[in-house]
Amino acid sequence: MVELPPFLARRRLQAPEPREGALVVVWLRVAVRGHENPVLDAGRLAAAALGLPLLVYHAVSERYPHASDRHHAFILQGARDLADELDALGISAAFHVERPGHRGPVLKQLAERAALVVTDHMPLDPLRRWTERLAADVPVWALDASCIAPVTLGSRPTRAFRFRDDTDRHRDRFEWPWPEVSVTPARYEGPFPFAPVDVRTADLSALIGACEIDHTVGPVHDTPGGSRAGYARWAAFRDTDLAAYPRRRNDPAKPDGVSRMSAYLHYGHVSPWRIARDAAARGASKFLDELLVWREIAWHLCHHVPDARSVDALPSWARATLDAHAEDPRDVLPLEALDAGRTGDPLWDTAQRSLLRHGELHNNVRMTWGKAVLPWSRGPRQALARLFELNDRYALDGRDPASVGGITWCLGQLDRPFTPEQPVIGALRPRPTRDHAARLDLDTWSAHVDRPVSDLRVLVIGAGISGSAAAHALHRAGLDVSVVDKARGPGGRLTSRRSDVGRFDHGAGSFTARDPRFLRQLLVWQAAGLVAPWAPRLARWDGGFAPDTPVSPRWVVRGRSSALASHLLDDLPFRPQTRITGLERVPSGWIVHHDGGSEAFDRVVLTAPGPQMRELVTPVSPALGAALEDVRYTPCWAAMVTGGAGLAFDAVRFAEGEVSWMVRQDTLPDRDGPERWVLHARADASEAQLEREPDARAAELGRWFAEHTGHAPLDVQAHRWRYARVDRPLGVDIAHDGGLILAGDALRGGRVEDAWLSGCAAAGHVLREVGLAHPSGGLPT
């Protein structure tokens, strides 16, 4: 039996007996610090009592909700400070970064050798679920290392004033110095079921870029993770602005009026005990009330309510009033408009831009921001899901019980009814955005939110899906981005051609989704009316037409294929019909030469087809040029056929012969007009006829159509795609040399999904460069 002192024992949620094992593992998730840490102290005492070596295991997964460069960077920066602290304490630590080639149940494998795993309590999924799974196989102690009043005390809270009264007498004396644990167990030196990463020497940008996460949400330049950065921010606020907190805390136009410590508390990079001691020593009662009551009541709520993020967890009065107003008229907006901060409401859009660009939202504004989403949603369940989506994707303090408390408060949690009832919100506390905006200096706050995040000027060459995705992500993050393309419009191979009878999607007219990141984006676009799933009546040719089964679901852009790229480039400077003639590396960045002159840029994202890319790149980066020599493309002649074929199918596959695929255009979503088809010739046939005149190829493919369908076309036009399909890409998301970043099908592959992911990765590379270049030197320890 391992005995813990009372100040640790009261924080332990369960106490199974340790078993025979080779080590004790401390698994840190939300208490990532080497000081004032109940989890680390309990692990040290247990290891010493059992006579076993101790290992601190810390990891970052690709599978947590809304995994992104922003959250990964903050976690890894915090891991660096943790490594320094543990090294000074003589404690062994191993950090695991989940990424291709480094996946698998490594914690489970490590725990199989452990007598005991000690971890920090997190009452939200997926960490709660992961802890329960591990506890089924190995003894696990979970300790509350986040609340000064432990969640093991009391029951489900209902109102803040009651929680304040119930917990005051149970609180640890946070004014006292932390009870030091002086034991130093033996160090665990291995073996490990994974290759530990030395986070102190690792290239964080490259490490994050290798992970399959959302690269479009970049690190926040002025909010680096880690204990040193957290305490530096706290010291500046404590010594200068804490005294003014009661009168300035509700004004977002005064950003120094609040501590901005929530991200550091969320990841446990700072000790709430130290923050509370400092505040108490300065008589900051209002700040302490926010820290000890409003923050901790949310942790207690999530601990006692299994699914505190759901509408079903709201008080009965809130559910009843929301149900009573379920049919009230609403002005429903698509999630994409909310995500981009383009609702037309000045206060709300400013708040959303704060999340997008800076990863934070002023606490007082968050309440108004949250309540505004209900009238823009179909009902409370959709509203709540949207709020968590927006907050948790962008906010550095997202996915935290305090966030759950704040967001569900907007729908009545921990609150009371208000009368008279109002449309849509019923008896919920009203907080109209117009009234809130009238109390603020909105122009000053907006100017602060829209402050430049970087002075980099970025040029994206190529307005296909890859270039459009990269430019869109960089523009949303607040960078100065321009786009050029040699074509007359955007879209690349995801484009259309107009005719007198309607449009022809003569390139990549439909596409599939396999990667969950792309599928999530498709669902957002679908809700905005941009794309639609397509389930064609599929046939195969076997000497005749026979029904076939689609291999995987397909998607199409509504209206015209190029509409998607046009949407991504909306509000961006885009110059079509601009041919790039050369690149020149200069000390300040790049000179880009084109047929209209020359311009200077700090970074260049190049998304042209591989051979064109190699021609531009080789003179300025021979290594990248040499790598591109291995890329192989195949061409495709496309025919646009007008005329009825009388087929009971929408698309046909051909296993052999001159044509590989044909698609009926007038059956696609939002494609009106008479019957018409697009034919794609097989690669070998296209290669053999590559230099033929379009009219000649049109005539030949028209004869092929007549022979196979029995109907002569009314009209046929042909288009040559010289670089239609990538047979051999480089097999990486991007490649780069200094400020030159290569993306597109030559890198990752020829599918639309590959192009989008590669463009996002290119944006992520630039955003990490901006976000990780923070002034971290000289921070206090």
Side-chain angles (χ1 to χ4, degrees), residues 410-766:
C410 297
L411 271 69
Q413 187 67 270
L414 303 173
D415 205 3
R416 63 176 178 84
F418 282 75
T419 56
E421 294 196 9
Q422 299 188 20
V424 181
I425 67 170
L428 297 183
R429 182 192 299 259
R431 281 182 71 101
T433 57
R434 182 172 55 187
D435 293 353
H436 196 160
R439 301 194 301 269
L440 303 178
D441 184 345
L442 189 57
D443 290 340
T444 298
W445 180 42
S446 296
H448 175 71
V449 167
D450 295 333
R451 66 192 185 274
V453 298
S454 170
D455 58 0
L456 291 182
R457 294 187 68 234
V458 183
L459 178 68
V460 176
I461 301 173
I465 291 301
S466 187
S468 299
H472 179 75
L474 293 170
H475 176 65
R476 274 165 49 97
L479 271 66
D480 181 357
V481 189
S482 299
V483 184
V484 298
D485 196 292
K486 67 177 183 179
R488 289 179 293 178
R493 287 187 295 276
L494 197 61
T495 189
S496 305
R497 178 177 290 187
R498 268 183 295 213
S499 75
D500 293 338
V501 296
R503 294 184 180 274
F504 289 92
D505 295 330
H506 60 302
S510 65
F511 47 91
T512 58
R514 301 171 188 171
D515 190 288
R517 294 170 292 178
F518 186 55
L519 181 57
R520 176 207 168 273
Q521 186 60 61
L522 284 176
L523 295 176
V524 172
W525 286 334
Q526 180 187 13
L530 285 167
V531 302
W534 180 50
R537 298 170 297 170
L538 188 64
R540 66 181 186 278
W541 174 266
D542 188 15
F545 295 102
D548 199 2
T549 303
V551 175
S552 58
R554 304 192 72 84
W555 292 80
V556 295
V557 182
R558 301 183 71 104
R560 56 188 175 90
S561 289
S562 58
L564 184 55
S566 296
H567 174 77
L568 291 171
L569 296 178
D570 190 25
D571 292 338
L572 270 164
F574 171 52
R575 283 178 289 168
Q577 297 180 290
T578 302
R579 184 179 296 274
I580 305 300
T581 57
L583 302 174
E584 180 183 350
R585 194 194 299 260
V586 295
S588 60
W590 297 87
I591 303 296
V592 179
H593 304 285
H594 51 78
D595 49 15
S598 300
E599 295 177 83
F601 293 91
D602 299 292
R603 301 293 181 269
V604 174
V605 178
L606 180 56
T607 67
Q612 298 172 356
M613 190 183 287
R614 185 175 68 245
E615 182 179 347
L616 288 171
V617 165
T618 300
V620 294
S621 179
L624 288 181
L628 289 168
E629 290 178 2
D630 292 332
V631 176
R632 293 290 180 270
Y633 282 78
T634 56
C636 177
W637 274 103
M640 291 154 277
V641 177
T642 302
L647 301 181
F649 305 105
D650 304 322
V652 185
R653 304 176 191 272
F654 298 86
E656 56 186 21
E658 188 170 8
V659 170
S660 62
W661 174 250
M662 71 179 199
V663 180
R664 182 170 171 174
Q665 301 293 288
D666 55 298
T667 64
L668 297 171
D670 302 324
R671 268 72 159 186
D672 298 328
E675 185 176 337
R676 57 197 186 277
W677 294 79
V678 164
L679 281 57
H680 283 164
R682 200 171 303 282
D684 53 357
S686 297
E687 186 76 51
Q689 305 289 337
L690 186 61
E691 303 302 333
R692 295 289 300 279
E693 290 296 322
D695 289 346
R697 283 300 288 149
E700 292 165 355
L701 291 170
R703 287 193 292 272
W704 181 95
F705 181 84
E707 291 170 2
H708 285 75
T709 65
H711 292 80
L714 300 177
D715 181 66
V716 184
Q717 299 179 44
H719 178 84
R720 178 183 61 192
W721 295 102
R722 185 178 292 273
Y723 305 114
R725 299 183 182 91
V726 185
D727 281 355
R728 191 167 67 196
L730 288 183
V732 295
D733 284 351
I734 61 169
H736 59 90
D737 180 0
L740 176 63
I741 303 104
L742 311 186
D745 57 11
L747 282 296
R748 185 180 169 101
R751 302 169 63 242
V752 171
E753 174 181 84
D754 292 326
W756 185 82
L757 290 168
S758 181
C760 291
H765 179 83
V766 177

Side-chain angles (χ1 to χ4, degrees), residues 245-261:
Y245 177 78
R247 67 177 185 273
R248 298 176 63 190
R249 68 187 185 90
N250 288 336
D251 188 354
K254 296 181 173 64
D256 295 332
V258 292
S259 69
R260 300 172 60 220
M261 292 298 298

Side-chain angles (χ1 to χ4, degrees), residues 23-382:
L23 76 158
V24 170
V25 174
V26 169
W27 176 22
L28 295 183
R29 298 96 57 94
V30 294
V32 183
R33 58 186 184 272
H35 59 279
E36 299 195 3
N37 190 336
V39 177
L40 183 60
D41 288 351
R44 294 162 73 186
L45 291 169
L50 296 171
L52 294 174
L54 177 69
L55 173 71
V56 172
Y57 170 83
H58 185 29
V60 60
S61 168
E62 297 169 304
R63 296 171 293 138
Y64 64 84
H66 307 291
S68 70
D69 291 13
R70 177 169 296 174
H71 292 295
H72 262 50
F74 199 88
I75 292 167
L76 286 162
Q77 289 163 333
R80 284 182 163 174
D81 286 357
L82 175 67
D84 285 340
E85 285 195 86
L86 295 179
D87 191 56
L89 293 170
I91 295 174
S92 175
F95 192 89
H96 177 237
V97 178
E98 187 177 50
R99 60 202 190 279
H102 299 270
R103 296 185 177 126
V106 297
L107 174 60
K108 181 180 179 181
Q109 294 167 359
L110 182 65
E112 287 173 351
R113 306 189 70 246
L116 176 68
V117 174
V118 186
T119 192
D120 38 29
H121 176 53
M122 166 50 88
L124 296 175
D125 289 335
L127 287 180
R128 175 168 53 187
R129 184 174 66 251
W130 293 350
T131 305
E132 291 170 351
R133 289 178 182 173
L134 186 66
D137 299 319
V138 61
V140 174
W141 291 354
L143 284 84
D144 180 357
S146 300
C147 296
I148 290 173
V151 298
T152 52
L153 303 174
S155 57
R156 171 179 175 162
T158 56
R159 296 291 305 280
F161 69 89
R162 294 194 185 99
F163 179 79
R164 184 184 296 112
D165 293 341
D166 291 343
T167 56
D168 270 350
R169 66 182 184 276
H170 294 302
R171 294 186 188 282
D172 290 343
R173 295 297 299 276
F174 55 80
E175 301 95 335
W176 292 0
W178 182 259
E180 294 291 341
V181 171
S182 57
V183 299
T184 303
R187 295 174 59 93
Y188 180 77
E189 303 295 350
F192 297 99
F194 58 93
V197 172
D198 185 346
V199 291
R200 290 176 291 185
T201 61
D203 180 339
L204 294 193
S205 180
L207 194 60
I208 295 168
C211 300
E212 292 186 354
I213 57 178
D214 184 354
H215 296 304
T216 67
V217 183
V220 179
H221 169 81
D222 59 3
T223 306
S227 298
R228 291 182 299 165
Y231 287 125
R233 175 170 289 183
W234 168 245
F237 174 76
R238 177 197 64 201
D239 298 340
T240 306
D241 300 298
L242 179 59
Y245 177 78
R247 67 177 185 273
R248 298 176 63 190
R249 68 187 185 90
N250 288 336
D251 188 354
K254 296 181 173 64
D256 295 332
V258 292
S259 69
R260 300 172 60 220
M261 292 298 298
S262 58
Y264 299 99
L265 288 164
H266 165 54
Y267 283 109
H269 294 171
V270 298
S271 160
W273 286 271
R274 182 180 296 187
I275 303 299
R277 283 198 307 272
D278 283 0
R282 287 158 176 79
S285 58
K286 183 57 184 174
F287 181 87
L288 282 171
D289 193 61
E290 294 293 326
L291 178 70
L292 303 181
V293 177
W294 284 102
R295 175 176 174 269
E296 295 196 2
I297 193 175
W299 276 82
H300 284 244
L301 174 74
C302 293
H303 172 72
H304 289 287
V305 178
D307 191 8
R309 298 165 60 98
S310 78
V311 169
D312 296 332
L314 296 175
S316 57
W317 71 264
R319 298 197 306 272
T321 195
L322 289 169
D323 287 343
H325 290 268
E327 302 303 320
D328 288 3
R330 302 160 188 264
D331 183 16
V332 178
L333 297 179
L335 175 62
E336 190 179 48
L338 302 178
D339 189 281
R342 302 182 71 172
T343 68
D345 184 299
L347 182 138
W348 201 95
D349 290 347
T350 303
Q352 182 62 21
R353 291 198 308 277
S354 180
L355 280 174
L356 282 170
R357 298 185 178 186
H358 309 296
E360 63 184 19
L361 184 54
H362 189 280
N363 183 56
N364 189 261
V365 175
R366 192 193 304 260
M367 295 184 285
T368 304
W369 169 87
K371 285 182 175 289
V373 173
L374 186 58
W376 292 334
S377 303
R378 290 194 301 270
R381 294 185 187 277
Q382 186 186 62

